[in-house]
Amino acid sequence: MEGKAMAGKRSFTTVNMVMMALFAAVTCVLAPLAVPIGPVPISLTNLVIYISLYVLGWKQGTITYIVYLLLGLAGLPVFSGFEGGIGKFAGPTGGYLAGFILMSVICGIFIEKWNRTTPLHITLNMAGMILGTAAAYAFGTAWFCISTGTGVMAALTVCVFPFIIGDLIKMVVASAVGPVTGRQIRKMGGK
């Protein structure tokens, strides 16, 4: 059936686990390639998450991100700027790393429920991605404010506002690439 994410009600098959490992690896490769523009760098982490949710569904997509996060916490240099370890996670920008878990769940539920290419479904998916990203922004900004003693408006100015346009572009790209990628994988037998 068109638009159903791989995860659906299926259990973890070998193909599902391979796809999860592949997306965790892609995240590990792309996330460190960051553009430092302030305390929070521009990275491709959320783009990979969005696309993985179209392919894997919200449960497996979220688990995939958690695997990436655990690899970084273990010290592998997979976080932005080729950093890793608990220090990066516990630092001022660690809230965004943790917030991506919440983003994965929220975005993934929308994408899995309305994963079709009609204008209404694309709009609902975009709404889900915006809502999930806003939740990650809120969690990360609160963490940043608490850990640095920065006021909310100052934190939003350096940690959120510079990223809105880029994140919207990533959402559009994901909504174009994600469904096609998911369909192609399912055609190849990746159900």
Side-chain angles (χ1 to χ4, degrees):
M1 175 191 237
E2 181 191 355
K4 288 292 181 187
M6 285 175 69
K9 295 178 183 174
R10 290 179 281 269
S11 62
F12 289 88
T13 65
T14 303
V15 173
N16 292 135
M17 290 187 286
V18 167
M19 291 307 302
M20 290 169 66
L22 177 65
F23 272 100
V26 169
T27 308
C28 288
V29 169
L30 294 180
L33 305 174
V35 178
I37 62 167
V40 179
I42 297 172
S43 83
L44 297 174
T45 308
N46 53 347
L47 175 63
V48 178
I49 293 170
Y50 299 144
I51 294 171
S52 75
L53 295 169
Y54 276 100
V55 175
L56 301 170
W58 78 268
K59 291 175 187 171
Q60 292 178 12
T62 302
I63 291 169
T64 298
Y65 175 73
I66 292 170
V67 167
Y68 155 79
L69 191 59
L70 292 172
L71 291 170
L73 289 171
L76 293 177
V78 296
F79 295 148
S80 63
F82 296 95
E83 294 184 47
I86 193 78
K88 178 77 170 179
F89 185 77
T93 60
Y96 296 101
L97 291 170
F100 280 162
I101 297 170
L102 184 59
M103 181 186 84
S104 294
V105 172
I106 295 169
C107 297
I109 289 171
F110 274 75
I111 288 169
E112 192 170 310
K113 181 153 179 70
W114 293 293
N115 189 4
R116 292 187 181 82
T117 53
T118 67
L120 174 63
H121 290 94
I122 292 169
T123 303
L124 291 168
N125 289 337
M126 286 294 292
M129 286 187 277
I130 290 168
L131 184 62
T133 303
Y137 282 165
F139 190 84
T141 302
W143 185 304
F144 185 85
C145 290
I146 291 166
S147 66
T148 64
T150 305
V152 173
M153 199 57 182
L156 289 172
T157 301
V158 296
C159 298
V160 175
F161 297 152
F163 301 92
I164 293 173
I165 299 296
D167 285 346
L168 287 170
I169 291 168
K170 291 174 197 175
M171 291 174 202
V172 170
V173 169
S175 68
V177 172
V180 174
T181 304
R183 274 194 305 275
Q184 290 304 316
I185 289 170
R186 283 185 290 283
K187 279 183 188 176
M188 294 182 331
K191 290 187 174 191

